[in-house]
Amino acid sequence: MPGVDGARAARGIAAAHSIDHLLAVGEGDLSTPALVAQAATRPAVRIDRGDLATLLFTGGTTGVPKGVDRPHGTLVEIVHGMHQAWPTRIDQEVWLNVAPVFHVWGSLMGCLNPVYCRSPVVIISRYQPDLVLAALERHRVTVFSGGPAAIYVGLLAAAGIDRTDLSSLRICPGGGSPFLMETLTTWYARTGVPILEAFGMTEGGPICANPTDGTHRFGTVGRPLPGLEVSIAALDDPERAVRRANWARSASVDRASSTPIAGRARGGRMAGCTPEMSACSTPTAISGWSTGPRTC
């Protein structure tokens, strides 16, 4: 409920729950005309690399969702790493995002990365394949934030896809779930743009990504982003790296505890090893994080 009506409703909810402080977008200094009229000046606030920037909640794969604090410095490094994996053109891209911005993928691909690129973002309030296809064509979208395989499967199954002009697309990342080879090849055949699979966690990602330089491999989550190292470690000795990986295959893993181990934390999802890597029952340590075992 946008505008003044939405602000009024928010104040009613706040009063009913004894919330003393409320910022309601749609009235006063937070109305759209007032925000547009404000001068583009930098706030007189000092922000250091270690200051808290976001508090995102995990999906709860290993139990209940947990709040993960991300400082400003970490977010800047992540955005820079993603920009190196998927280079975008400053002031020249048009992004479309379907993921909620309170999720780690949506916050990066629907907010921070477009801002870094100084690009407009087309926001879809609710994922409906026909609406997404129409917006991709109408706005000449160049970067489709995509996400899980189901997003692409839904678009490929939509009745209007064969009538939609998707020639403006340049970058189509994917992540959050394994992709069938059929989905990857069908999307590529239809659009001429590969789905670039990636992997990350709310606690420490994105971690791996397929590049845009033509060296991507379908069915993998690509190479570690700059400054990160992926290795296979033994459960009984997390500090001992069994084998290091240049490519990691897209897969799901078993649930695991979130108890810290030797300075690391176990996650609930992780990319699997490549076929030539045999240590499939060991956790995977990634730049200070490790996950539980997966089944091959």
Side-chain angles (χ1 to χ4, degrees):
M1 186 185 300
V4 176
D5 291 339
R8 187 180 298 114
R11 291 197 176 280
I13 294 172
H17 293 276
S18 301
I19 299 174
D20 296 328
H21 303 285
L22 172 70
L23 293 177
V25 176
E27 65 177 20
D29 291 339
L30 293 180
S31 66
T32 300
L35 292 173
V36 171
Q38 289 182 5
T41 57
R42 184 181 296 274
V45 177
R46 177 180 174 83
I47 299 176
D48 294 320
R49 290 179 55 83
D51 291 344
L52 179 64
T54 62
L55 182 63
L56 299 174
F57 280 79
T58 67
T61 310
T62 60
V64 298
K66 303 174 181 64
V68 177
D69 56 340
R70 305 295 288 272
H72 285 272
T74 299
L75 293 182
V76 170
E77 291 170 359
I78 288 172
V79 171
H80 285 170
M82 295 177 72
H83 183 71
Q84 292 186 50
W86 303 323
T88 50
R89 304 165 300 181
I90 304 299
D91 292 327
Q92 299 182 52
E93 309 290 0
V94 177
W95 295 59
L96 187 145
N97 175 59
V98 297
V101 293
F102 58 77
H103 185 270
V104 63
W105 182 263
S107 67
L108 290 168
M109 299 300 292
C111 182
L112 298 183
N113 281 286
V115 168
Y116 178 77
C117 184
R118 299 205 304 256
S119 302
V121 184
V122 180
I123 300 175
I124 304 296
S125 59
R126 179 177 298 178
Y127 174 71
Q128 296 181 10
D130 289 336
L131 296 180
V132 173
L133 289 173
L136 289 171
E137 178 178 5
R138 181 170 64 253
H139 298 284
R140 304 298 295 165
V141 171
T142 59
V143 182
F144 174 47
S145 66
I151 299 295
Y152 289 96
V153 171
L155 295 179
L156 289 170
I161 188 169
D162 290 332
R163 301 187 301 271
T164 304
D165 180 6
L166 301 175
S167 60
S168 62
L169 287 176
R170 294 183 55 250
I171 301 175
C172 296
S177 72
F179 279 73
L180 294 177
M181 190 62 65
E182 178 184 2
T183 303
L184 298 169
T185 56
T186 303
W187 180 264
Y188 184 65
R190 175 60 185 81
T191 66
V193 181
I195 296 174
L196 300 174
E197 290 184 87
F199 168 76
M201 297 183 295
T202 309
E203 299 91 335
I207 297 164
C208 301
N210 270 284
T212 60
D213 60 6
T215 62
H216 62 275
R217 295 185 187 180
F218 284 156
T220 78
V221 292
R223 297 188 177 101
L225 294 181
L228 299 179
E229 181 182 82
V230 176
S231 63
I232 305 299
L235 274 173
D236 57 352
D237 186 5
E239 295 297 329
R240 178 172 62 88
V242 177
R243 193 169 303 186
R244 304 195 184 281
N246 291 323
W247 295 85
R249 187 179 54 167
S250 175
S252 297
V253 299
D254 298 335
R255 296 189 176 189
S257 167
S258 60
T259 304
I261 298 179
R264 297 184 174 92
R266 290 179 178 174
R269 296 194 301 271
M270 180 51 202
C273 53
T274 51
E276 60 271 19
M277 298 171 65
S278 59
C280 291
S281 61
T282 60
T284 306
I286 310 157
S287 184
W289 300 94
S290 63
T291 71
R294 78 170 182 87
T295 56
C296 295

